[in-house]
Amino acid sequence: MTNIKKIGVLTSGGDCAGLNAVIMSVVNAASQFGWQVYGIHDGTDGLTNRPLSYEILTPSNFSDTPWPRLAGSYLGSLNTGVKESQEVLAKRFGDGVRELGLDAVVVVGGDGSMNIVSNYCHMAGVKMVGIPKTIDNDTPLTEFSVGFNTACQICTNALDDLMTTARSHHRALILEVMGRDAGHLAMHAALAGFADVCLVPEIRWSLQGIINKLEQIKQSGRTSALIVVSEGVKTENGEAVTNAVNMIGEKINGGIGDYISNLINANYKGFQTRVTKLGHVQRSGNPTAFDRSLAIVLGAEAVNLLAEGHTDRMVAITRGKVTSFSLDEVVAAGTAGLDAASSYVKAARAIGMYIGE
Ligand code: F6P
Protein backbone atom coordinates (compact mmCIF):
# COMPACT_ATOMS: atom_id res chain seq x y z
CA MET A 1 0.00 0.00 0.00
CA THR A 2 0.97 3.65 -0.13
CA ASN A 3 1.27 6.81 1.91
CA ILE A 4 0.10 9.09 -0.88
CA LYS A 5 -1.94 12.11 0.19
CA LYS A 6 -1.64 14.53 -2.72
CA ILE A 7 -1.18 13.97 -6.45
CA GLY A 8 -0.87 16.18 -9.51
CA VAL A 9 -2.52 15.55 -12.87
CA LEU A 10 -1.50 17.14 -16.16
CA THR A 11 -2.25 16.73 -19.86
CA SER A 12 0.67 16.91 -22.25
CA GLY A 13 1.04 16.95 -26.05
CA GLY A 14 -1.67 17.56 -28.64
CA ASP A 15 -5.14 17.62 -27.12
CA CYS A 16 -7.93 15.24 -28.11
CA ALA A 17 -11.41 14.24 -27.10
CA GLY A 18 -11.64 12.35 -23.80
CA LEU A 19 -9.00 14.22 -21.79
CA ASN A 20 -11.57 15.79 -19.48
CA ALA A 21 -13.15 12.40 -18.82
CA VAL A 22 -9.67 11.12 -17.86
CA ILE A 23 -9.11 14.05 -15.50
CA MET A 24 -12.55 13.50 -13.96
CA SER A 25 -11.81 9.81 -13.48
CA VAL A 26 -8.48 10.53 -11.77
CA VAL A 27 -10.06 13.15 -9.48
CA ASN A 28 -13.04 10.99 -8.55
CA ALA A 29 -10.97 7.86 -7.96
CA ALA A 30 -8.38 9.78 -5.91
CA SER A 31 -11.09 11.36 -3.80
CA GLN A 32 -12.28 7.84 -2.85
CA PHE A 33 -8.90 7.44 -1.12
CA GLY A 34 -9.17 10.89 0.45
CA TRP A 35 -6.29 12.26 -1.66
CA GLN A 36 -6.05 15.85 -2.81
CA VAL A 37 -5.62 16.41 -6.57
CA TYR A 38 -3.76 19.38 -8.04
CA GLY A 39 -4.58 20.07 -11.68
CA ILE A 40 -1.42 21.39 -13.36
CA HIS A 41 -2.04 23.97 -16.09
CA ASP A 42 -0.67 23.79 -19.64
CA GLY A 43 1.19 20.50 -19.46
CA THR A 44 4.57 20.63 -17.75
CA ASP A 45 4.60 24.44 -18.11
CA GLY A 46 2.50 24.71 -14.95
CA LEU A 47 5.38 23.16 -12.99
CA THR A 48 8.42 24.43 -14.90
CA ASN A 49 7.35 28.09 -15.21
CA ARG A 50 7.30 30.51 -12.31
CA PRO A 51 4.91 31.30 -10.75
CA LEU A 52 3.58 27.75 -10.69
CA SER A 53 0.21 27.42 -12.39
CA TYR A 54 -2.32 24.95 -11.00
CA GLU A 55 -5.66 24.59 -9.28
CA ILE A 56 -7.04 22.20 -6.73
CA LEU A 57 -9.57 19.86 -8.31
CA THR A 58 -12.47 18.13 -6.59
CA PRO A 59 -15.28 15.97 -8.00
CA SER A 60 -17.46 19.10 -8.09
CA ASN A 61 -15.31 20.51 -10.92
CA PHE A 62 -16.76 17.82 -13.16
CA SER A 63 -20.12 16.79 -11.73
CA ASP A 64 -23.09 18.69 -13.11
CA THR A 65 -20.85 20.42 -15.69
CA PRO A 66 -20.43 19.60 -19.38
CA TRP A 67 -16.63 19.24 -19.03
CA PRO A 68 -16.30 15.43 -19.18
CA ARG A 69 -18.44 15.43 -22.32
CA LEU A 70 -16.27 18.01 -24.10
CA ALA A 71 -13.05 17.73 -26.09
CA GLY A 72 -10.00 19.84 -25.30
CA SER A 73 -8.24 19.88 -21.96
CA TYR A 74 -9.80 21.65 -18.98
CA LEU A 75 -6.23 22.09 -17.74
CA GLY A 76 -4.64 23.18 -21.02
CA SER A 77 -1.84 21.26 -22.75
CA LEU A 78 1.56 21.82 -24.30
CA ASN A 79 2.40 20.49 -27.77
CA THR A 80 5.65 22.21 -28.63
CA GLY A 81 9.07 21.44 -27.33
CA VAL A 82 10.90 24.05 -25.33
CA LYS A 83 14.30 25.58 -25.80
CA GLU A 84 15.80 24.97 -22.35
CA SER A 85 17.78 21.82 -21.65
CA GLN A 86 16.09 18.74 -20.17
CA GLU A 87 18.27 19.10 -17.06
CA VAL A 88 17.12 22.67 -16.40
CA LEU A 89 13.47 21.79 -16.98
CA ALA A 90 13.66 18.60 -14.92
CA LYS A 91 15.10 20.58 -12.02
CA ARG A 92 12.34 23.20 -12.21
CA PHE A 93 9.71 20.46 -12.63
CA GLY A 94 10.99 18.62 -9.54
CA ASP A 95 11.19 21.84 -7.50
CA GLY A 96 7.61 22.64 -8.53
CA VAL A 97 6.39 19.19 -7.49
CA ARG A 98 8.10 19.54 -4.11
CA GLU A 99 6.82 23.09 -3.58
CA LEU A 100 3.26 21.80 -4.01
CA GLY A 101 4.00 18.74 -1.86
CA LEU A 102 2.84 16.30 -4.54
CA ASP A 103 3.55 12.64 -3.80
CA ALA A 104 3.15 11.60 -7.46
CA VAL A 105 2.10 12.98 -10.83
CA VAL A 106 -0.38 11.44 -13.29
CA VAL A 107 0.64 12.38 -16.84
CA VAL A 108 -1.91 12.06 -19.63
CA GLY A 109 0.14 12.04 -22.83
CA GLY A 110 1.30 10.32 -26.01
CA ASP A 111 4.60 8.63 -26.79
CA GLY A 112 6.53 11.92 -26.82
CA SER A 113 5.18 13.01 -23.46
CA MET A 114 5.78 9.59 -21.88
CA ASN A 115 9.38 9.94 -22.98
CA ILE A 116 9.99 13.58 -22.02
CA VAL A 117 8.02 13.76 -18.78
CA SER A 118 9.18 10.38 -17.51
CA ASN A 119 12.70 11.67 -18.09
CA TYR A 120 11.98 14.79 -15.99
CA CYS A 121 10.47 12.58 -13.28
CA HIS A 122 13.42 10.23 -13.37
CA MET A 123 15.96 13.08 -13.13
CA ALA A 124 13.99 14.91 -10.43
CA GLY A 125 13.05 11.84 -8.38
CA VAL A 126 9.30 12.30 -8.93
CA LYS A 127 6.88 9.36 -8.99
CA MET A 128 4.78 9.16 -12.14
CA VAL A 129 1.99 7.13 -13.71
CA GLY A 130 1.17 7.68 -17.38
CA ILE A 131 -2.17 7.45 -19.19
CA PRO A 132 -1.97 7.13 -23.01
CA LYS A 133 -3.90 9.58 -25.18
CA THR A 134 -3.46 10.67 -28.78
CA ILE A 135 -5.45 10.77 -31.98
CA ASP A 136 -2.38 9.20 -33.63
CA ASN A 137 -2.76 5.95 -31.60
CA ASP A 138 1.01 5.58 -31.75
CA THR A 139 1.68 5.23 -28.02
CA PRO A 140 3.40 1.85 -27.74
CA LEU A 141 2.20 -1.19 -25.78
CA THR A 142 -1.44 -0.13 -25.65
CA GLU A 143 -3.94 -1.12 -28.31
CA PHE A 144 -5.86 2.10 -27.94
CA SER A 145 -5.09 5.57 -26.66
CA VAL A 146 -7.81 7.94 -25.48
CA GLY A 147 -8.95 10.25 -28.31
CA PHE A 148 -8.19 7.93 -31.22
CA ASN A 149 -11.68 6.50 -31.53
CA THR A 150 -13.31 9.94 -31.60
CA ALA A 151 -10.85 11.14 -34.26
CA CYS A 152 -11.66 8.03 -36.34
CA GLN A 153 -15.35 8.90 -36.09
CA ILE A 154 -14.70 12.50 -37.20
CA CYS A 155 -12.70 11.31 -40.23
CA THR A 156 -15.39 8.74 -41.03
CA ASN A 157 -18.10 11.39 -40.85
CA ALA A 158 -16.03 13.53 -43.21
CA LEU A 159 -15.81 10.63 -45.69
CA ASP A 160 -19.59 10.12 -45.46
CA ASP A 161 -20.07 13.81 -46.24
CA LEU A 162 -17.50 13.83 -49.05
CA MET A 163 -19.04 10.79 -50.72
CA THR A 164 -22.25 12.64 -51.63
CA THR A 165 -20.51 15.57 -53.33
CA ALA A 166 -17.96 13.24 -54.96
CA ARG A 167 -20.88 11.39 -56.52
CA SER A 168 -22.67 14.57 -57.69
CA HIS A 169 -19.56 15.90 -59.43
CA HIS A 170 -18.00 12.60 -60.52
CA ARG A 171 -14.80 13.37 -58.65
CA ALA A 172 -12.11 11.55 -56.75
CA LEU A 173 -12.00 13.39 -53.43
CA ILE A 174 -8.89 13.26 -51.29
CA LEU A 175 -9.07 13.51 -47.50
CA GLU A 176 -5.80 14.35 -45.74
CA VAL A 177 -5.89 13.25 -42.11
CA MET A 178 -3.51 13.69 -39.19
CA GLY A 179 -1.55 10.93 -37.50
CA ARG A 180 2.02 12.27 -37.56
CA ASP A 181 4.24 9.40 -38.77
CA ALA A 182 1.70 6.67 -38.02
CA GLY A 183 -1.07 5.50 -40.35
CA HIS A 184 -3.54 4.19 -37.73
CA LEU A 185 -6.01 7.06 -38.09
CA ALA A 186 -5.93 6.98 -41.90
CA MET A 187 -6.30 3.19 -42.05
CA HIS A 188 -9.17 2.95 -39.55
CA ALA A 189 -11.00 5.89 -41.13
CA ALA A 190 -10.51 4.50 -44.65
CA LEU A 191 -11.99 1.16 -43.60
CA ALA A 192 -14.91 2.75 -41.75
CA GLY A 193 -15.55 5.33 -44.49
CA PHE A 194 -15.31 2.76 -47.33
CA ALA A 195 -12.49 4.60 -49.09
CA ASP A 196 -10.99 3.24 -52.33
CA VAL A 197 -7.41 4.26 -51.66
CA CYS A 198 -5.57 4.74 -48.36
CA LEU A 199 -1.97 5.93 -48.17
CA VAL A 200 -0.08 5.58 -44.89
CA PRO A 201 3.51 6.48 -43.97
CA GLU A 202 4.44 2.85 -43.29
CA ILE A 203 3.71 1.57 -46.83
CA ARG A 204 5.30 2.80 -50.07
CA TRP A 205 2.85 3.76 -52.82
CA SER A 206 3.02 4.43 -56.55
CA LEU A 207 1.13 6.83 -58.76
CA GLN A 208 0.49 3.97 -61.17
CA GLY A 209 -1.11 1.96 -58.35
CA ILE A 210 -3.51 4.84 -57.58
CA ILE A 211 -4.31 5.35 -61.27
CA ASN A 212 -4.93 1.63 -61.76
CA LYS A 213 -7.41 1.68 -58.90
CA LEU A 214 -9.19 4.79 -60.21
CA GLU A 215 -9.37 3.31 -63.70
CA GLN A 216 -10.76 0.06 -62.31
CA ILE A 217 -13.50 2.08 -60.53
CA LYS A 218 -14.26 3.94 -63.76
CA GLN A 219 -14.43 0.73 -65.77
CA SER A 220 -16.87 -0.69 -63.23
CA GLY A 221 -19.24 2.17 -64.04
CA ARG A 222 -18.80 4.08 -60.77
CA THR A 223 -18.17 7.78 -61.25
CA SER A 224 -16.67 8.84 -57.91
CA ALA A 225 -13.93 7.74 -55.54
CA LEU A 226 -12.59 8.48 -52.06
CA ILE A 227 -8.90 8.65 -51.22
CA VAL A 228 -7.52 8.94 -47.68
CA VAL A 229 -3.96 10.18 -47.21
CA SER A 230 -2.15 10.33 -43.90
CA GLU A 231 -0.25 13.59 -43.34
CA GLY A 232 3.04 11.76 -42.78
CA VAL A 233 3.06 10.06 -46.18
CA LYS A 234 6.14 10.82 -48.26
CA THR A 235 6.45 11.17 -52.05
CA GLU A 236 6.91 8.10 -54.24
CA ASN A 237 10.65 8.65 -53.85
CA GLY A 238 10.43 8.73 -50.08
CA GLU A 239 10.93 12.49 -49.73
CA ALA A 240 9.02 14.80 -47.40
CA VAL A 241 6.62 17.13 -49.26
CA THR A 242 7.35 20.00 -46.91
CA ASN A 243 10.28 21.28 -44.92
CA ALA A 244 7.99 23.34 -42.69
CA VAL A 245 9.00 23.57 -39.04
CA ASN A 246 7.41 25.21 -36.02
CA MET A 247 8.99 28.06 -34.06
CA ILE A 248 11.42 25.77 -32.30
CA GLY A 249 12.41 23.79 -35.37
CA GLU A 250 10.17 20.72 -35.06
CA LYS A 251 8.80 19.22 -38.29
CA ILE A 252 5.22 20.17 -39.26
CA ASN A 253 3.38 17.66 -41.46
CA GLY A 254 0.83 18.43 -44.16
CA GLY A 255 0.53 19.08 -47.87
CA ILE A 256 0.70 15.51 -49.17
CA GLY A 257 -2.99 15.66 -50.14
CA ASP A 258 -2.37 18.56 -52.53
CA TYR A 259 0.79 16.90 -53.82
CA ILE A 260 -1.05 13.70 -54.72
CA SER A 261 -3.98 15.61 -56.19
CA ASN A 262 -1.65 17.54 -58.52
CA LEU A 263 0.15 14.37 -59.49
CA ILE A 264 -3.09 12.55 -60.36
CA ASN A 265 -4.38 15.55 -62.34
CA ALA A 266 -1.16 15.81 -64.32
CA ASN A 267 -1.13 12.13 -65.24
CA TYR A 268 -4.71 10.85 -65.39
CA LYS A 269 -7.84 12.38 -66.87
CA GLY A 270 -10.39 9.86 -65.57
CA PHE A 271 -11.41 11.84 -62.47
CA GLN A 272 -11.10 15.42 -61.34
CA THR A 273 -9.67 15.61 -57.85
CA ARG A 274 -10.18 17.99 -54.93
CA VAL A 275 -8.55 17.97 -51.51
CA THR A 276 -9.95 18.35 -48.00
CA LYS A 277 -7.40 18.79 -45.24
CA LEU A 278 -9.34 18.01 -42.09
CA GLY A 279 -6.87 19.62 -39.68
CA HIS A 280 -7.47 20.24 -36.00
CA VAL A 281 -11.17 19.36 -36.01
CA GLN A 282 -9.85 15.81 -35.66
CA ARG A 283 -8.87 16.74 -32.12
CA SER A 284 -12.32 18.06 -31.22
CA GLY A 285 -15.86 16.70 -31.06
CA ASN A 286 -17.59 15.14 -28.09
CA PRO A 287 -15.74 11.95 -27.09
CA THR A 288 -17.34 8.75 -28.36
CA ALA A 289 -18.74 6.23 -25.89
CA PHE A 290 -15.59 4.12 -26.43
CA ASP A 291 -13.26 7.01 -25.59
CA ARG A 292 -15.32 7.97 -22.54
CA SER A 293 -15.27 4.49 -21.06
CA LEU A 294 -11.57 4.05 -21.95
CA ALA A 295 -10.87 7.38 -20.22
CA ILE A 296 -12.70 6.31 -17.06
CA VAL A 297 -11.10 2.86 -16.98
CA LEU A 298 -7.53 4.10 -17.52
CA GLY A 299 -7.93 7.05 -15.12
CA ALA A 300 -9.23 4.80 -12.37
CA GLU A 301 -6.46 2.25 -12.99
CA ALA A 302 -3.76 4.93 -12.78
CA VAL A 303 -5.02 5.91 -9.32
CA ASN A 304 -5.35 2.25 -8.35
CA LEU A 305 -1.71 1.62 -9.28
CA LEU A 306 -0.59 4.51 -7.08
CA ALA A 307 -2.79 3.25 -4.23
CA GLU A 308 -1.11 -0.14 -4.51
CA GLY A 309 2.29 1.50 -4.36
CA HIS A 310 3.23 1.06 -8.05
CA THR A 311 4.83 3.98 -9.86
CA ASP A 312 6.82 4.69 -13.02
CA ARG A 313 4.29 2.79 -15.09
CA MET A 314 1.90 3.55 -17.93
CA VAL A 315 -1.58 2.05 -17.86
CA ALA A 316 -2.62 0.35 -21.09
CA ILE A 317 -5.30 -1.73 -22.70
CA THR A 318 -4.20 -5.04 -24.20
CA ARG A 319 -6.60 -7.61 -25.66
CA GLY A 320 -9.46 -5.78 -24.00
CA LYS A 321 -7.86 -5.97 -20.54
CA VAL A 322 -6.46 -3.12 -18.50
CA THR A 323 -2.82 -3.61 -17.66
CA SER A 324 0.33 -1.54 -17.20
CA PHE A 325 3.94 -1.41 -18.38
CA SER A 326 7.03 0.14 -16.87
CA LEU A 327 7.81 3.55 -18.33
CA ASP A 328 11.25 2.22 -19.27
CA GLU A 329 9.60 -0.41 -21.46
CA VAL A 330 7.27 2.19 -22.97
CA VAL A 331 10.12 4.56 -23.80
CA ALA A 332 12.25 1.72 -25.19
CA ALA A 333 9.37 0.64 -27.44
CA GLY A 334 9.40 4.06 -29.16
CA THR A 335 6.55 5.02 -31.45
CA ALA A 336 4.01 2.39 -32.50
CA GLY A 337 3.38 2.73 -36.22
CA LEU A 338 0.77 0.81 -38.19
CA ASP A 339 1.90 -2.78 -38.61
CA ALA A 340 1.90 -3.48 -42.35
CA ALA A 341 0.99 -7.10 -41.50
CA SER A 342 -1.94 -6.14 -39.24
CA SER A 343 -5.48 -7.43 -39.69
CA TYR A 344 -6.59 -3.94 -40.68
CA VAL A 345 -4.10 -3.74 -43.53
CA LYS A 346 -4.89 -7.32 -44.57
CA ALA A 347 -8.61 -6.56 -44.60
CA ALA A 348 -8.06 -3.40 -46.64
CA ARG A 349 -6.17 -5.37 -49.27
CA ALA A 350 -8.71 -8.20 -49.13
CA ILE A 351 -11.59 -5.86 -50.04
CA GLY A 352 -9.60 -4.33 -52.91
CA MET A 353 -8.58 -1.02 -51.35
CA TYR A 354 -5.33 0.30 -52.84
CA ILE A 355 -2.89 0.90 -49.99
CA GLY A 356 0.44 0.75 -51.75
CA GLU A 357 2.83 -1.97 -52.73
O1 F6P B 1 0.01 14.26 -32.22
C1 F6P B 1 -1.25 14.77 -32.45
C2 F6P B 1 -1.27 15.68 -33.63
O2 F6P B 1 -2.59 16.14 -33.82
C3 F6P B 1 -0.73 15.07 -34.93
O3 F6P B 1 -1.65 14.21 -35.54
C4 F6P B 1 -0.40 16.31 -35.71
O4 F6P B 1 0.63 16.07 -36.66
C5 F6P B 1 0.09 17.25 -34.66
O5 F6P B 1 -0.45 16.81 -33.43
C6 F6P B 1 -0.30 18.68 -34.90
O6 F6P B 1 0.24 19.43 -33.89
P1 F6P B 1 -0.02 20.97 -33.67
O7 F6P B 1 -1.14 21.06 -32.66
O8 F6P B 1 1.25 21.47 -33.12
O9 F6P B 1 -0.41 21.57 -34.98
Side-chain angles (χ1 to χ4, degrees):
M1 293 305 282
T2 177
N3 50 8
I4 281 179
K5 299 264 180 311
K6 209 192 265 187
I7 62 171
V9 59
L10 63 86
T11 54
S12 175
D15 69 349
C16 62
L19 293 177
N20 298 315
V22 176
I23 300 167
M24 178 186 77
S25 179
V26 169
V27 171
N28 288 1
S31 80
Q32 300 289 318
F33 292 105
W35 302 349
Q36 242 190 344
V37 181
Y38 280 45
I40 309 301
H41 293 157
D42 300 329
T44 50
D45 268 3
L47 288 170
T48 56
N49 287 349
R50 297 295 179 269
L52 298 172
S53 183
Y54 63 92
E55 65 189 280
I56 295 174
L57 298 174
T58 68
S60 65
N61 286 88
F62 299 100
S63 68
D64 208 19
T65 76
W67 276 109
R69 300 168 201 279
L70 300 178
S73 171
Y74 173 89
L75 294 171
S77 195
L78 175 70
N79 198 21
T80 45
V82 268
K83 281 190 180 141
E84 288 97 334
S85 74
Q86 293 256 321
E87 287 71 21
V88 169
L89 289 168
K91 162 94 175 52
R92 279 200 244 142
F93 182 89
D95 290 347
V97 167
R98 279 180 280 277
E99 200 176 311
L100 297 182
L102 305 178
D103 300 308
V105 179
V106 175
V107 175
V108 191
D111 63 320
S113 302
M114 290 304 152
N115 190 341
I116 294 166
V117 188
S118 72
N119 203 16
Y120 290 175
C121 288
H122 183 70
M123 287 195 266
V126 172
K127 292 173 179 162
M128 164 179 162
V129 171
I131 300 178
K133 67 85 219 167
T134 165
I135 68 164
D136 305 337
N137 212 35
D138 57 354
T139 317
L141 305 179
T142 186
E143 275 160 23
F144 295 106
S145 293
V146 173
F148 173 64
N149 186 266
T150 308
C152 285
Q153 191 59 56
I154 290 168
C155 296
T156 305
N157 293 348
L159 287 167
D160 288 352
D161 292 342
L162 288 173
M163 187 265 162
T164 53
T165 176
R167 190 172 177 282
S168 303
H169 292 277
H170 312 308
R171 285 174 170 161
L173 293 185
I174 298 172
L175 181 69
E176 181 182 307
V177 303
M178 284 185 165
R180 226 177 265 269
D181 297 320
H184 301 284
L185 184 54
M187 188 78 259
H188 282 246
L191 288 171
F194 312 129
D196 303 292
V197 175
C198 176
L199 305 183
V200 294
E202 295 84 352
I203 301 174
R204 292 293 278 265
W205 58 277
S206 71
L207 176 62
Q208 197 52 54
I210 299 175
I211 291 175
N212 289 349
K213 181 67 199 175
L214 293 178
E215 187 55 23
Q216 185 197 19
I217 291 168
K218 213 169 169 57
Q219 294 302 324
S220 76
R222 179 145 63 91
T223 59
S224 63
L226 292 175
I227 299 176
V228 177
V229 184
S230 182
E231 63 176 1
V233 167
K234 304 250 185 333
T235 68
E236 263 182 304
N237 300 330
E239 285 156 17
V241 285
T242 169
N243 294 320
V245 288
N246 68 14
M247 58 200 225
I248 59 150
E250 294 167 334
K251 185 177 75 150
I252 297 177
N253 279 318
I256 185 71
D258 284 319
Y259 175 88
I260 285 170
S261 173
N262 292 337
L263 208 55
I264 295 172
N265 284 334
N267 293 281
Y268 178 64
K269 302 298 165 213
F271 284 105
Q272 258 194 3
T273 63
R274 293 286 189 277
V275 181
T276 301
K277 185 176 170 185
L278 212 44
H280 290 78
V281 293
Q282 292 161 94
R283 302 220 304 240
S284 64
N286 294 351
T288 56
F290 181 89
D291 270 336
R292 294 179 197 204
S293 54
L294 184 65
I296 300 297
V297 165
L298 294 184
E301 181 61 11
V303 170
N304 193 41
L305 280 182
L306 288 173
E308 288 176 350
H310 303 295
T311 57
D312 304 325
R313 300 189 76 75
M314 183 188 82
V315 293
I317 187 122
T318 307
R319 294 172 196 244
K321 288 219 160 35
V322 180
T323 178
S324 70
F325 295 91
S326 80
L327 285 167
D328 286 346
E329 277 177 280
V330 174
V331 171
T335 301
L338 178 70
D339 179 0
S342 76
S343 313
Y344 300 102
V345 174
K346 269 198 213 154
R349 285 197 204 281
I351 62 167
M353 190 187 292
Y354 174 72
I355 56 170
E357 274 75 41

